[in-house]
């Protein structure tokens, strides 16, 4: 007797089950019930049809009912809704949605593939006009029609998941002003916050406003517009609202039939995808799966997993005994210029489980290029790897413009095969300059992870560094060492850091105390790792590397800047540029930092004032860095734009009398402030630091050059054990040791005047000299101790407080030449 399988749901899991079952059993009677008009459509492609990236609507329909009937001899019934399951009699009640009749269909085997639906929470006003969800082809048709007929100008996307981000991009490309409202503090939940922050920066750079950490309280109508009131009280107006809050399993049919569900409504199945009811299977978004890494129950609604489950389910109905071995949750999404991908568990999950980094697991984060840096078009890829203390891979994440899917696929494969970080080191991956590097980023993850496990390197995150540097007196416990080149430091440096370029480090180790934590940093982390190895092999016992480098650090502190007022090129100048002053072209694509800045600097040195250079770079941080560099060097940033994956900037050498942006005037080195602090009197030292902090707060570079008696301001209060001659010891005994011992220049009265002054300052809430000095260091004021005066006064480097540079008069005069104010105090 011929057997019958009824499948409820005709999209990913259901359609795959039907087609596979026919290939396994030609005699099986197969009935496919779908309550909608379409089967096997590409719901992942729906946002791109809305955004007109996919031009042809029919391209979304992977399989039509007629084609499936003809190819596979399957009884496909669209607009047929299963309304009840009788598991004892093995029958399904079906409503024909065309004529509203109800009939019963018997089965030998039943497959529930009812999928999931968008979450629509009970928010006041959520059923109002112009509020939509996107999940089916009819949903797409409705939104497409609204865009074509009503021509909305503003849109609000509620939720920052896959569909929300994809719709935000496509609505923006369609010409709408778009806002994303997300209740959590980040978009893209599978990513950890720091990886999502890379997306936040890029989303804002593409003109979409992000409202994070603020949920929707209500929807309302005003002048035919939707008004969204957020939990914070903020109101957002939108012509079109898209709900993308999440999905829930369509398991009500199974629940009514008495089939076992989990607390979230997911159908419970065993390894063979059988439910608690006899001869009833379930696949796709509607079922609970096992997390492949944690071996714990989970709900992971993905099209790829639904298709794989459908294949296994069909085989088992046909007599096999195959098992579904769990889900990694491997996913990828395009978010404007970037792709974001993940596999396995993230660090947030591990922390929620009570796991501790360094004890239960480790993590590494690296910046690499998508392919060989010297081959055109190389772009950055940021990768994060999570692994246990034996090296087993727990999870991976990747964000970048290119090559992200390739790397996450390799990592997901390694995880599926039970691979370790040591296996990543040994993987032989295809290499040619247009595709990869001799050491692929995946290999680099393995190398870095091994270094961590073998204690060859230790990393610190940006949050840990920020927390330490926010504490008073952090300089006494930690040295933040910048090993970048002078040109890079001009563009960006962490305030309070000590600067020694990597090439000079071995010869200047005496500047660094060995008895405290030293954190090294550079642009992406390679040079800082080399610096850490130098330090660790020269007696420094507590050394860490800032993960991701300053490129990543700046993205973590990203704040949407005000658009700079860029200079305009007149038509006359354009003609001149095209003729006697030909526009120069500089290709910096793929260059490792500081390559782009250095190449621009070298090019401008060969140019005449007024000439313009067009620079292309693939580094996402390049526009930010070059803007800062132009401001500090007195050149004119004319224009910024994006062409594909390249950042394009136009720079004119010099200002040529132009009104460049105010920030440029504020931060131009020619507007720097320098002062010689000759005096060791408390009141004069106070005045010096008040002026310095004021200038630093205005964005001016400030250099304070301490010489002769002024050196006492910089002395440590504790006596230091250093070798001195008799005269030097006498000098040291007679001079005040540190800012707490300084006296007033007038009315000192044997120290009574000084005490009275300090009391008045306390009463009036005036900062002490010590506080002002610490503020100056944090504000980036350069404190320089005159080495010649130190020799004369018998003061050793060990006696000077941290964060002070040691130099001679020539160094000071170099800063003075770039200053418009020079004081002698």
């Amino acid at each position: 007797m011929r057997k019958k399988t009824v499948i409820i749901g005709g999209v990913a899991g259901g359609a795959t089950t039907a087609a596979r079952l026919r290939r396994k059993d030609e005699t099986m009677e197969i009935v496919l019930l779908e309550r909608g008009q379409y089967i096997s459509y590409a719901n992942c492609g729906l946002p791109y049809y809305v955004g007109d990236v996919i031009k042809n609507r029919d391209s979304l329909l992977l399989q039509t009912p007629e084609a499936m009937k003809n190819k596979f001899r399957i009884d496909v019934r669209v607009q047929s809704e299963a309304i009840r399951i009788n598991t004892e009699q093995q029958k399904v009640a079906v409503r024909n949605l065309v004529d509203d009749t109800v009939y019963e269909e018997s089965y030998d085997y039943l497959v529930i593939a009812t999928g999931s639906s968008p979450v629509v929470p009970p928010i006041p006003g959520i059923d109002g006009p112009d509020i939509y969800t996107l999940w089916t082809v009819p949903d797409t048709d409705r939104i497409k029609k609204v865009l074509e007929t009503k021509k909305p100008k503003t849109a609000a996307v509620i939720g920052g998941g896959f569909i929300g981000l994809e719709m935000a991009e496509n609505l923006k490309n369609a010409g709408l002003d778009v806002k994303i409202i997300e209740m959590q503090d980040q978009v893209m939940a599978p990513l950890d916050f720091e990886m999502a922050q890379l997306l936040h920066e890029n989303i804002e750079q593409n003109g979409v406003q992000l409202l994070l950490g603020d949920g929707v309280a209500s929807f309302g109508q005003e002048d035919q517009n939707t008004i969204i009131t957020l939990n914070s009280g903020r109101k957002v107006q939108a012509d079109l609202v898209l709900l993308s809050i999440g999905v829930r399993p369509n398991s009500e049919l199974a629940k009514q039939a008495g089939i076992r569900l989990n607390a979230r409504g997911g159908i419970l199945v065993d390894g063979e995808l059988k439910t608690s009811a006899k001869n009833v299977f379930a696949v796709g978004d509607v079922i609970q799966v096992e997390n492949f890494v944690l071996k714990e129950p989970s709900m992971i609604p993905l099209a790829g997993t639904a298709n794989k489950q459908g294949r296994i389910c069909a085989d088992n109905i046909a007599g096999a005994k195959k098992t579904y071995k769990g889900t990694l949750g491997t996913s990828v999404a395009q978010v404007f210029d970037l792709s974001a991908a993940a596999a396995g568990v993230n660090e947030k999950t591990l922390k929620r489980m009570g796991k501790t980094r360094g004890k239960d697991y480790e993590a590494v984060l690296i910046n690499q290029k998508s392919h060989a840096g010297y081959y055109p078009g190389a772009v950055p890829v940021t990768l994060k790897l999570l692994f246990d203390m034996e090296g087993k891979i727990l999870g991976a994440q990747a964000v970048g413009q290119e090559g992200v899917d390739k790397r996450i696929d390799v990592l997901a494969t390694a995880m599926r095969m039970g691979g370790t970080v040591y296996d990543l080191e040994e993987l032989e991956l295809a290499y040619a300059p247009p595709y990869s590097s001799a050491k692929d980023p995946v290999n680099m993850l393995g190398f870095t992870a091994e270094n961590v496990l073998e204690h060859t390197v230790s990393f610190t995150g940006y949050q840990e560094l920020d927390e330490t540097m926010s504490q008073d007196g952090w300089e006494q416990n930690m040295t933040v060492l910048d090993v970048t080149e002078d040109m890079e430091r001009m563009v960006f440096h962490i305030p309070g850091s000590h600067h020694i370029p990597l090439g000079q480090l071995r010869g200047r180790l005496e500047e660094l105390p060995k008895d405290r934590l030293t954190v090294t940093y550079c642009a992406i982390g390679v040079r800082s790792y080399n610096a850490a190895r130098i330090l660790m092999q020269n007696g420094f016992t507590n050394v860490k590397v800032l993960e991701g480098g300053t490129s990543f650090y700046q993205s973590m502190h990203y704040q949407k800047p005000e658009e700079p007022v860029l200079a305009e090129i007149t038509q006359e100048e354009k003609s001149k540029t095209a003729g006697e002053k030909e526009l120069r072209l500089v290709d910096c694509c793929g260059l490792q930092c500081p390559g782009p800045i250095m190449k621009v600097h070298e090019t401008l040195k060969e140019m005449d004032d007024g000439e313009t250079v067009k620079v292309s770079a693939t580094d996402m941080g390049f526009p930010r860095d070059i803007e800062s560099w132009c401001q500090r060097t007195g050149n004119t940033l004319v224009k910024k734009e994006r062409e594909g994956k390249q950042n394009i900037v136009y720079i004119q050498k010099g200002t040529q009398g132009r009104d460049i942006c105010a920030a440029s005037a504020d931060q131009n080195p020619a507007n720097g402030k320098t002062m010689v602090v000759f005096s060791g009197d408390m009141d004069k030292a106070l005045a010096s630091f008040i002026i310095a902090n004021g200038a630093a707060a205005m964005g001016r570079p400030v250099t304070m050059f301490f010489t002769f008696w002024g050196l006492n301001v910089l002395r440590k209060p504790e006596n230091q054990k250093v070798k001195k001659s008799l005269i030097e010891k006498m000098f040291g005994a007679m001079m005040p040791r540190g800012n707490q011992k300084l006296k007033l220049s007038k009315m000192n009265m044997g120290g009574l005047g000084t005490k009275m002054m300090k009391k008045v300052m306390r009463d009036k809430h005036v900062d002490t000299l010590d506080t002002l000095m610490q503020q100056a260091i944090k504000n980036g004021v350069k404190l320089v101790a005159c080495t010649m005066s130190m020799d004369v006064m018998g003061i050793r480097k060990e006696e000077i407080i941290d964060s002070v540079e040691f130099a001679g008069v020539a160094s000071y005069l170099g800063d003075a030449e770039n200053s418009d104010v020079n004081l002698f105090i």
Side-chain angles (χ1 to χ4, degrees):
M1 180 178 177
R2 194 165 70 149
K3 292 193 174 183
K4 182 199 296 185
T5 297
V6 174
I7 302 169
I8 305 174
V11 191
T16 297
T17 302
R20 175 67 173 177
L21 185 54
R22 170 58 69 226
R23 287 192 290 267
K24 296 290 287 188
D25 189 341
E26 183 66 18
T27 65
M28 178 73 71
E29 182 181 353
I30 304 172
V31 178
L32 182 64
L33 304 174
E34 169 56 50
R35 66 181 177 182
Q37 293 178 265
Y38 308 95
I39 63 165
S40 192
Y41 57 85
N43 52 0
C44 296
L46 300 182
Y48 299 101
Y49 175 63
V50 172
D52 212 30
V53 176
I54 297 174
K55 305 290 185 182
N56 189 345
R57 179 179 179 275
D58 290 343
S59 299
L60 300 170
L61 307 177
L62 306 178
Q63 188 74 265
T64 66
E66 293 76 17
M68 199 158 194
K69 288 178 183 178
N70 295 332
K71 290 179 182 178
F72 299 101
R73 200 164 50 85
I74 293 172
D75 185 0
V76 180
R77 304 176 191 175
V78 294
Q79 295 185 284
S80 298
E81 182 181 15
I83 59 174
R84 187 170 54 257
I85 301 172
N86 187 325
T87 58
E88 292 184 1
Q89 297 180 8
Q90 296 195 176
K91 292 181 179 180
V92 179
V94 184
R95 174 178 286 117
N96 185 321
L97 298 179
V98 177
D99 57 16
D100 202 35
T101 58
V102 177
Y103 63 91
E104 286 190 331
E105 189 74 35
S106 63
Y107 66 83
D108 294 296
Y109 303 101
L110 179 69
V111 179
I112 301 174
T114 45
S116 58
S117 298
V119 171
V120 182
I123 299 173
I126 199 167
D127 56 350
D130 302 319
I131 300 177
Y132 304 90
T133 59
L134 180 66
W135 201 245
T136 65
V137 174
D139 292 340
T140 311
D141 292 337
R142 280 190 289 271
I143 296 172
K144 190 83 168 176
K145 184 177 181 180
V146 168
L147 294 176
E148 293 172 350
T149 58
K150 293 188 176 182
K151 300 189 182 304
K153 291 182 170 54
T154 59
V157 176
I158 315 298
F162 287 89
I163 291 179
L165 294 181
E166 290 167 352
M167 277 300 293
E169 176 181 351
N170 281 281
L171 290 172
K172 178 65 178 179
N173 292 339
L176 280 71
D177 180 11
V178 181
K179 293 180 175 64
I180 297 174
I181 300 169
E182 169 56 58
M183 186 167 60
Q184 304 302 319
D185 64 351
Q186 68 167 82
V187 301
M188 198 70 79
L191 300 180
D192 286 316
F193 176 82
E194 67 270 24
M195 299 295 284
Q197 180 74 343
L198 298 172
L199 301 182
H200 300 162
E201 179 182 24
N202 186 253
I203 290 168
E204 292 272 13
Q205 287 175 343
N206 278 279
V208 171
Q209 186 177 356
L210 268 176
L211 304 177
L212 298 173
D214 207 352
V216 176
S218 66
F219 296 95
Q221 288 288 309
E222 186 177 304
D223 297 330
Q224 296 185 332
N225 291 321
T226 300
I227 303 299
I228 307 165
T229 302
L230 305 184
N231 292 332
S232 64
R234 178 173 181 170
K235 295 183 183 296
V236 175
Q237 178 272 327
D239 301 328
L240 183 151
V241 177
L242 181 86
L243 300 178
S244 181
I245 300 172
V247 297
R248 58 172 180 79
N250 295 329
S251 58
E252 188 62 31
L253 195 62
K255 181 180 180 181
Q256 292 175 355
I259 294 171
R260 291 181 59 205
L261 309 179
N262 67 12
R264 296 172 60 184
I267 298 176
L268 299 180
V269 295
D270 62 13
E272 296 180 13
L273 300 172
K274 295 178 181 177
T275 70
S276 59
K278 182 182 178 182
N279 294 335
V280 179
F281 296 76
V283 298
D285 293 3
V286 75
I287 71 169
Q288 172 183 288
V289 296
E290 182 182 74
N291 183 296
F292 183 82
V293 176
L294 301 176
K295 305 304 178 187
E296 293 182 352
S298 184
M299 298 290 293
I300 305 177
L302 292 170
T305 58
N307 279 280
K308 295 175 183 64
Q309 291 160 7
R311 181 182 175 90
I312 292 172
C313 177
D315 286 357
N316 289 339
I317 292 173
K321 293 291 184 180
K322 292 185 176 179
T323 60
Y324 183 70
K325 299 175 183 177
T327 301
L328 271 174
T330 307
S331 58
V332 65
Q334 178 179 296
V335 185
F336 290 99
D337 309 288
L338 297 177
S339 296
V345 298
N346 54 33
E347 193 166 9
K348 292 179 294 187
T349 301
L350 294 175
K351 288 181 177 179
R352 280 198 300 267
M353 295 173 62
K355 305 291 186 182
T356 303
R357 185 169 177 173
K359 177 185 175 184
D360 302 303
Y361 72 93
E362 275 290 1
V364 295
L365 185 150
I366 63 173
N367 276 326
Q368 294 290 304
K369 293 292 184 183
S370 58
H371 59 249
Y374 57 82
Y375 187 87
V379 290
V381 178
T382 302
L383 300 108
K384 180 175 182 178
L385 188 72
L386 297 157
F387 48 97
D388 67 18
M389 307 311 286
E390 282 73 46
K392 180 184 176 182
I393 305 170
L394 303 176
Q397 299 162 46
V399 174
Q401 292 176 272
E402 184 181 278
V404 166
D405 55 338
K406 171 182 177 179
R407 272 70 195 209
I408 211 69
D409 284 345
V410 171
L411 291 164
T413 302
M415 294 172 66
R416 196 81 194 185
M417 304 301 290
T420 67
V421 299
Y422 306 106
D423 294 316
L424 300 185
E425 296 180 283
E426 299 175 3
L427 287 179
E428 295 184 35
L429 302 173
Y431 162 60
Y435 303 105
S436 185
S437 301
K439 291 184 287 189
D440 189 87
V442 172
N443 297 134
M444 294 300 296
L445 276 176
F447 298 150
T448 308
E450 181 193 36
N451 287 338
V452 169
L453 291 175
E454 294 186 355
H455 307 292
T456 304
V457 67
S458 180
F459 289 96
T460 188
Y462 76 97
Q463 288 179 313
E464 185 181 355
L465 181 65
D466 287 347
E467 289 172 1
T468 303
M469 295 185 74
S470 67
Q471 300 170 6
D472 292 335
W474 66 267
E475 301 90 341
Q476 306 300 318
N477 303 310
M478 178 175 67
T479 300
V480 181
L481 180 61
D482 178 355
V483 297
T484 65
E485 300 301 317
D486 294 336
M487 187 69 64
E488 294 172 272
R489 190 170 174 86
M490 181 184 294
V491 172
F492 175 80
H493 69 275
I494 298 176
S497 59
H498 189 81
H499 182 220
I500 303 178
L502 179 62
Q504 302 176 26
L505 182 57
R506 289 182 177 86
R508 295 173 59 181
L509 292 174
E510 74 281 355
E511 297 179 23
L512 305 171
K514 296 182 178 181
D515 59 347
R516 66 180 62 169
L517 169 64
T518 302
V519 176
T520 63
Y521 75 82
C522 65
I524 62 173
V526 176
R527 286 169 292 171
S528 50
Y529 167 64
N530 291 328
R533 294 304 303 152
I534 292 171
L535 296 174
M536 292 170 72
Q537 295 179 81
N538 279 277
F540 290 77
T541 58
N542 192 3
V543 181
K544 292 189 176 183
V545 175
L546 178 62
E547 63 181 7
T550 56
S551 175
F552 186 76
Y553 184 86
Q554 289 180 82
S555 292
M556 295 304 100
H557 295 82
Y558 170 76
Q559 293 181 342
K560 186 177 181 181
E562 295 183 6
E563 285 296 317
V565 180
L566 302 177
E568 292 290 338
I569 301 180
T570 66
Q571 190 61 42
E572 179 183 355
E573 288 172 315
K574 287 180 181 178
S575 300
K576 194 174 184 182
T577 296
E580 62 187 83
K581 291 189 176 181
E582 184 177 353
L583 182 69
R584 297 206 184 193
L585 304 176
V586 176
D587 183 2
C588 297
C589 294
L591 287 183
Q592 295 277 357
C593 192
I597 296 291
M598 295 295 292
K599 198 165 184 178
V600 171
H601 174 67
E602 292 166 2
T603 302
L604 288 180
K605 284 197 301 184
E606 300 172 356
M607 293 168 53
D608 297 329
D609 280 357
E611 284 190 298
T612 302
V613 60
K614 176 184 176 182
V615 186
S616 60
T618 46
D619 183 359
M620 293 294 289
F622 176 70
R624 173 188 61 211
D625 291 346
I626 201 66
E627 183 175 341
S628 175
W629 184 83
C630 285
Q631 292 168 359
R632 291 179 176 273
T633 56
N635 295 296
T636 305
L637 179 59
V638 178
K639 184 180 180 182
K640 295 189 298 183
E641 61 188 18
R642 283 192 61 80
E643 293 180 3
K645 295 180 179 179
Q646 296 183 12
N647 295 291
I648 309 296
V649 299
Y650 295 82
I651 303 167
Q652 187 180 62
K653 183 173 181 178
T655 60
Q656 290 290 295
R658 295 181 182 277
D659 292 328
I660 57 177
C661 61
S664 175
D666 288 347
Q667 298 185 28
N668 193 317
N671 289 334
K673 314 300 175 190
T674 55
M675 62 181 73
V676 177
V677 184
F678 180 86
S679 171
D681 297 324
M682 186 184 82
D683 45 343
K684 295 177 181 178
L686 277 169
S688 301
F689 279 97
I690 289 172
I691 295 169
N693 282 326
M698 295 174 65
R700 270 65 167 182
V702 182
T703 298
M704 301 178 72
F705 188 75
F706 295 83
T707 184
F708 285 96
W709 312 115
L711 290 169
N712 293 314
V713 180
L714 303 179
R715 292 182 71 189
K716 293 178 179 177
E718 307 86 9
N719 184 30
Q720 304 297 311
K721 295 181 179 180
V722 291
K723 291 183 179 181
K724 290 188 177 184
S725 66
L726 178 61
I727 295 178
E728 289 172 337
K729 290 180 179 178
M730 292 176 63
F731 257 107
M734 291 186 291
M735 291 188 299
R737 185 183 292 119
N739 64 71
Q740 296 293 326
K741 300 294 184 180
L742 301 184
K743 301 176 181 179
L744 290 178
S745 60
K746 304 290 184 181
M747 298 176 59
N748 184 54
M749 298 180 293
L752 180 60
T754 302
K755 292 181 180 179
M756 293 172 62
M757 174 64 75
K758 290 182 178 181
K759 182 180 186 307
V760 171
M761 290 173 64
R762 284 195 300 270
D763 294 341
K764 299 292 185 180
H765 304 290
V766 177
D767 287 335
T768 65
L769 177 56
D770 185 64
T771 300
L772 290 169
M773 290 175 65
Q774 295 303 318
Q775 289 175 354
I777 292 170
K778 289 183 179 180
N779 289 333
V781 173
K782 183 160 68 173
L783 309 183
V784 181
C786 175
T787 52
M788 182 276 294
S789 299
M790 290 173 63
D791 289 338
V792 173
M793 307 289 286
I795 298 176
R796 300 286 187 267
K797 289 183 179 181
E798 291 85 350
E799 296 179 277
I800 299 296
I801 62 173
D802 299 321
S803 302
V804 174
E805 299 181 20
F806 302 94
V809 175
S811 175
Y812 163 75
L813 291 176
D815 287 349
E817 286 182 359
N818 290 323
S819 301
D820 60 357
V821 173
N822 186 33
L823 302 176
F824 188 91
I825 300 175

